Amino acid sequence: MAVAALPAPRDGVAQVVGGPEGPDDVIPFLENVTAGRGIPRERLEEVGAHYRLFGGVSPINEQNRTLLAALRADFAEHGLDLPVYWGNRNWAPYVTDTLRELVRDGRRRVLTLATSAYASYSGCRQYREDLAGALATLEEEGLPLPRVDKLRLYYNHPGFLRTMGEGVLAALDELPEGVRAGAHLAFTTHSIPDAAADLSGPPAGHGAGGAYVAQHLDAARVIAEAVRAETGVERPWELVYQSRSGAPHIPWLEPDIVDHLTALHAKGAPAVVMVPIGFVSDHMEVLYDLDTEALTAAEELGLPAVRSATVGAHPGFVAAIRDLVLERAATERGESPTRCALGTLGPSHDVCPVGCCAARVARPAAAGADSPYA
């Protein structure tokens, strides 16, 4: 997550999400991530082995630093005197330490950027709960509490979707010319329990995958149509899932990407582009679950496959974040800024309503209509 100060009436921005910095950090990090979920130690060791293939260092940390640098440079270039901080939910620098630093720097109004674009408990409300926990700690320490808000969901912002679309076009060019025209698109995102998906987003939309599935489908349609318009080819596409980590008896969103690749090959698909629409950067779920596991499966099947790029610190995505920061600041000044969004669902809410992305267990959450720290 990123934390930053905003232009009036804000004075800071923060980014949140990170991972282990070395082999000894891997299991403690995974224990933090899965706390309270009853994930067996054997599963943690299995996932830990994925990290150790990359030296025990999560690639997300360097990617976060790159994004932070890009945001700072972009803000400065466009005249925004707005400091940007970095805090994590599950590893150092922890969000509590980051908010403490913000307060000691004199920041009192903070906007947070979660590197998760869609509505879900783990992708939105859990961040808000961690922010509330951090604020409770600061309150216990007698520190002044900043006002903390969260940028609206950006899964359908033009800067996010157009950047993803550029990545798909570049990936298509990597395929052999003989199979390129018939390539399918597999839009892939993190699987979550069916029950969590059904309760994602505002209560009015709960059920049948909730906002999580609806938002991914809407974003995928926009990208698929943009690719069709650019290439003149109508490509079959599907939303699929990856990185399941729960108990086998609990239903999670399907189909899994590897199962989907097997089905595509059986149907005679000539090639596939995997589009990591659910991920902002090339972290472990992308580098291992797609670049290692899924591409290996495709190779064994004899199915030509490539993976398109995530948005990372692409200038188009960085500009989208700047746009969202300025939009939120203008809204709070009582203005009516243009709220950019593609697709059919429209721009997301600024303030999460009560019951949005319902929690398994009720915990205080900041940056929402039910926040105890309004």
Side-chain angles (χ1 to χ4, degrees):
M1 182 188 295
V3 182
L6 283 178
R10 287 296 195 302
D11 63 1
V13 178
Q15 172 181 313
V16 185
V17 159
E21 297 275 18
D24 293 342
D25 299 341
V26 172
I27 296 301
F29 164 74
L30 293 174
E31 288 173 339
N32 286 345
V33 172
T34 60
R37 291 167 52 190
I39 305 297
R41 177 76 179 199
E42 310 87 78
R43 175 57 180 165
L44 298 186
E45 292 289 352
E46 179 183 338
V47 176
H50 303 169
Y51 282 90
R52 293 188 181 101
L53 287 175
F54 298 87
V57 178
S58 172
I60 199 172
N61 293 335
E62 191 57 37
Q63 292 157 15
N64 277 336
R65 295 183 184 102
T66 300
L67 179 57
L68 286 173
L71 285 170
R72 288 165 178 157
D74 181 88
F75 286 3
E77 180 182 349
H78 290 86
L80 294 182
D81 183 15
L82 190 62
V84 185
Y85 297 72
W86 175 25
N88 298 325
R89 278 175 43 195
N90 298 309
W91 204 248
Y94 289 102
V95 67
T96 300
D97 299 327
T98 301
L99 287 184
R100 188 183 293 113
E101 180 185 2
L102 277 156
V103 166
R104 288 172 175 167
D105 287 348
R107 311 298 174 187
R108 295 296 180 267
R109 295 176 67 88
V110 178
L111 187 64
T112 58
L113 163 69
T115 48
S116 175
Y118 302 86
S120 70
Y121 173 76
S122 58
C124 186
R125 184 175 177 92
Q126 193 171 15
Y127 287 104
R128 296 176 47 225
E129 291 177 352
D130 289 341
L131 288 167
L135 290 169
T137 298
L138 266 57
E139 188 172 38
E140 291 172 0
E141 295 172 354
L143 294 173
L145 298 186
R147 172 174 168 176
V148 178
D149 291 311
K150 181 177 175 291
L151 278 178
R152 68 175 171 93
L153 299 174
Y154 48 83
Y155 68 92
N156 60 0
H157 191 284
F160 178 74
L161 292 180
R162 288 172 182 160
T163 300
M164 289 293 303
E166 289 177 15
V168 176
L169 292 171
L172 284 167
D173 287 341
E174 295 177 22
L175 287 170
E177 187 173 355
V179 299
R180 191 178 303 155
H184 289 228
L185 305 180
F187 291 93
T188 182
T189 190
H190 210 301
S191 184
I192 61 175
D194 288 4
D198 292 347
L199 296 177
S200 58
H206 286 175
Y212 187 75
V213 172
Q215 289 168 0
H216 279 87
L217 287 173
D218 206 44
R221 287 189 195 99
V222 171
I223 295 172
E225 173 56 26
V227 172
R228 184 208 61 77
E230 185 67 26
T231 64
V233 178
E234 186 84 35
R235 300 177 185 280
W237 65 268
E238 189 169 347
L239 177 65
V240 300
Y241 302 92
Q242 62 173 89
S243 310
R244 175 187 171 130
S245 61
H249 68 281
I250 298 175
W252 282 52
L253 294 174
E254 296 178 335
D256 176 76
I257 179 60
V258 173
D259 294 337
H260 181 62
L261 294 175
T262 303
L264 285 181
H265 179 256
K267 290 191 299 185
V272 61
V273 175
M274 297 184 294
V275 186
I277 193 174
F279 305 96
V280 170
S281 63
D282 289 2
H283 49 56
M284 192 57 64
E285 283 86 351
V286 175
L287 293 183
Y288 183 81
D289 296 352
L290 293 182
D291 292 359
T292 303
E293 190 172 52
L295 285 178
T296 297
E299 183 178 4
E300 291 173 351
L301 289 166
L303 175 65
V306 292
R307 193 264 294 177
S308 66
T310 54
V311 294
H314 188 286
F317 179 54
V318 172
I321 296 172
R322 170 171 35 89
D323 177 70
L324 291 169
V325 167
L326 293 173
E327 173 199 292
R328 184 63 178 271
T331 298
E332 296 205 5
R333 291 194 299 267
E335 302 169 14
S336 300
T338 300
R339 293 166 58 81
C340 297
L342 300 177
T344 63
L345 299 181
S348 185
H349 46 259
D350 281 336
V351 179
C352 293
V354 175
C356 194
C357 298
R360 298 184 297 265
V361 178
R363 292 177 56 198
D370 55 354
S371 172
Y373 301 102

